[in-house]
Amino acid sequence: MFSLVYFLVIGLVAGLLAARVMNVDQPWYMSMLIGMVGAIVGGVLGLIVDIRNIPLLGELVMATLGAILCLWAWSIYSSRKR
């Protein structure tokens, strides 16, 4: 239970940070969803780069980078739909 709450909080913060960095105006729940997907992507990238020694900060940085990558991909996908 605690790990799910931890994952949601990291995902929410990462999504909000990614939205700020990318200068995107979107609802908080969309930021949270993109942040959670980004946390998964960032976790995989963290395993590849081997950033497991810095628990909270490393997870937040990698989740934010993953969320930025997901947000960038989402913006390309949504612009092609129009």
Side-chain angles (χ1 to χ4, degrees):
M1 176 70 179
F2 179 71
S3 61
L4 176 64
V5 173
Y6 182 73
F7 177 74
L8 290 175
V9 169
I10 292 290
L12 175 64
V13 172
L16 293 174
L17 286 173
R20 289 281 188 182
V21 168
M22 296 290 289
N23 198 17
V24 176
D25 186 31
Q26 61 187 5
W28 65 270
Y29 56 86
M30 193 65 177
S31 294
M32 186 174 177
L33 181 65
I34 290 174
M36 287 188 299
V37 172
I40 294 169
V41 171
V44 171
L45 291 175
L47 287 175
I48 292 170
V49 179
D50 197 26
I51 300 182
R52 291 180 293 212
N53 298 335
I54 310 169
L56 180 63
L57 186 61
E59 291 170 358
L60 185 59
V61 167
M62 293 310 291
T64 303
L65 290 176
I68 289 171
L69 182 66
C70 290
L71 192 58
W72 174 73
W74 179 257
S75 67
I76 289 174
Y77 173 75
S78 64
S79 68
R80 286 189 178 185
K81 282 180 73 174
R82 293 180 192 174

